[in-house]
Amino acid sequence: MNSLSVNANATVDGQQAYGDSRFPYVFACDDANATLEDTARWVAENREELLRLMRVHGAVALRGFPTSTVEAFDRVVSELQLENFPYKKSLSNAVRVNRTERVFSANEAPPEVRIFFHHEMAQTPLYPKYIFFYCEIPAQSGGATPLCRSDLLFQKLAERCPEFAKTCEEKGLCYTNVMPDSDDAKSGMGRSWQSTLGVQTREEAESRLGELRYSYEWMDNGCLKATTPPLPAVMEVAPGQKTFFNQLIAAYCGWSDDRNDPSKAIRHGDGTPLDSEAVNVAIELSEELCYDHQWVQGDVVLLDNTVAMHARRPFSGTRKILASLAEMRTHALTVS
């Protein structure tokens, strides 16, 4: 530790406790004279501990640090010394705008659009181990970022709907979405097929989809309907600790726009439909277990994407929450 005055026992409204675990774990900077250099040095010196706390608690919040600019957030993320996962290399369907090489807008969807709980990019074969958020401008009202411990959710889901939990774990999930021919910022999942796949032509798109083992169909209006291969719905992140690692809630509740129908967006890996009652239990549990992070300008929230899900509440006014991804991972359903 350096001379920077940091309270490691800080609290925030709504913070949760599960045994010895706090959700989120909070560090508050109490030093009015702290500089960005002090903060960068503190993050670098405490890198291993911050990564451990993310893994154990799911989320770590930094409040009161001198992170008043996007560049300061970029510096904090850089000091964690993790491999950058550029958004342009992801298969996410959200429209986003880069601010630096590693920092981009969290989502360009309109303020009235609710974004439901999900693990970032769990609906694709490529996902980030970590996702970091930063508040440049808090909303005038609303706009909280709900967080949910996915391991706790899966534990409770398995107790209440054991057959559904078992089916999700054994069969995985397939996701279907229709990508537009050009970015549609009015939708939370309006990224074009060219941008999503990193291609320019249909031929290149088909080659990329083949590599990813997606099935697909070209629509008359130039849109591309694509379905993933079976992907895991449950992840064992540590011995005996399983998380509900998927996009089931977001796809079932929120994949709705002029092109997409949520009722057709998701199936089990063998093509069978989901048990709607059990899905509704998962949705209820996510809200029961969630912590709503009420943003303060300069806040940084560090998530282990394999442990904690996130969402977005509707808001009014200007809201600018930025994000950064780190450590690209791959996954595929393994059937024994």
Side-chain angles (χ1 to χ4, degrees):
M1 301 285 286
N2 61 23
S3 59
L4 187 66
S5 177
V6 175
N7 179 5
N9 296 304
T11 61
V12 290
D13 290 343
Q15 185 182 36
Q16 300 173 354
Y18 301 105
D20 295 331
S21 178
R22 285 173 279 171
F23 185 67
Y25 195 95
V26 181
F27 288 99
C29 180
D30 298 328
D31 191 342
N33 297 314
T35 67
L36 177 58
E37 288 302 318
D38 294 331
T39 301
R41 190 161 51 248
W42 180 86
V43 172
E45 291 177 357
N46 291 279
R47 172 185 180 273
E48 292 298 328
E49 179 65 359
L50 289 169
L51 296 180
R52 186 190 72 83
L53 291 171
M54 277 185 266
R55 182 176 67 253
V56 171
H57 301 276
V60 174
L62 308 181
R63 176 161 285 180
F65 289 80
T67 47
S68 59
T69 66
V70 176
E71 290 73 23
F73 173 54
D74 188 300
R75 178 71 182 279
V76 167
V77 172
S78 297
E79 293 297 341
L80 291 170
Q81 302 173 41
L82 300 169
E83 183 182 2
N84 183 34
F85 183 170
Y87 183 70
K88 62 185 178 182
K89 290 188 178 181
S90 78
L91 296 170
S92 171
N93 298 116
V95 177
R96 293 168 173 173
V97 177
N98 269 85
R99 299 287 296 277
T100 74
E101 179 60 27
R102 67 168 67 239
V103 177
F104 47 84
S105 56
N107 199 299
E108 292 293 308
E112 68 274 12
V113 173
R114 178 181 177 186
I115 298 174
F116 293 86
F117 274 112
H118 60 284
H119 286 280
E120 191 69 17
M121 302 179 195
Q123 83 285 16
T124 82
L126 312 175
Y127 68 91
K129 167 65 173 172
Y130 302 102
I131 179 167
F132 311 126
F133 292 109
Y134 169 72
C135 179
E136 183 179 24
I137 302 174
Q140 181 178 343
S141 64
T145 294
L147 307 174
C148 177
R149 282 275 297 268
S150 189
D151 54 344
L152 298 176
L153 186 151
F154 185 69
Q155 178 182 332
K156 291 182 178 294
L157 181 65
E159 293 170 356
R160 291 182 55 181
C161 305
E163 287 303 315
F164 178 70
K166 180 181 179 182
T167 300
C168 284
E169 186 168 8
E170 293 179 349
K171 296 183 178 180
L173 297 167
C174 288
Y175 305 86
T176 298
N177 79 289
V178 179
M179 294 175 271
D181 193 37
S182 59
D183 284 352
D184 175 11
K186 295 180 181 179
S187 169
M189 47 181 297
R191 194 180 183 197
S192 71
W193 57 263
Q194 296 95 329
S195 179
T196 300
L197 298 173
V199 300
Q200 296 296 324
T201 67
R202 289 193 176 196
E203 290 75 18
E204 291 172 338
E206 291 172 0
S207 176
R208 178 65 170 145
L209 290 166
E211 294 171 0
L212 296 167
R213 296 176 47 234
Y214 280 44
S215 59
Y216 63 89
E217 175 187 353
W218 291 103
M219 314 297 284
D220 292 340
N221 57 5
C223 295
L224 174 61
K225 180 179 180 181
T227 299
T228 70
L231 295 173
V234 178
M235 177 184 289
E236 187 168 24
V237 295
Q241 182 186 11
K242 295 180 179 180
T243 63
F244 200 48
F245 185 77
N246 54 64
Q247 282 246 8
L248 184 151
I249 295 173
Y252 192 87
C253 297
W255 283 16
S256 177
D257 57 21
D258 293 340
R259 298 170 300 278
N260 291 279
D261 179 352
S263 68
K264 301 177 181 177
I266 186 167
R267 292 284 190 274
H268 285 300
D270 62 356
T272 56
L274 306 181
D275 179 340
S276 60
E277 291 185 6
V279 172
N280 284 325
V281 170
I283 296 167
E284 292 170 7
L285 288 171
S286 70
E287 291 297 327
E288 290 174 9
L289 295 169
C290 82
Y291 153 79
D292 273 21
H293 190 79
Q294 306 292 342
W295 291 103
V296 173
Q297 199 281 328
D299 275 2
V300 174
V301 174
L302 313 172
L303 293 186
D304 184 323
N305 184 46
T306 66
V307 177
M309 294 189 287
H310 64 278
R312 188 191 80 173
R313 305 291 189 201
F315 63 93
S316 63
T318 300
R319 175 188 187 269
K320 291 188 178 180
I321 304 300
L322 307 178
S324 181
L325 309 176
E327 289 201 3
M328 180 192 295
R329 302 283 178 90
T330 62
H331 69 158
L333 185 67
T334 301
V335 180
S336 57

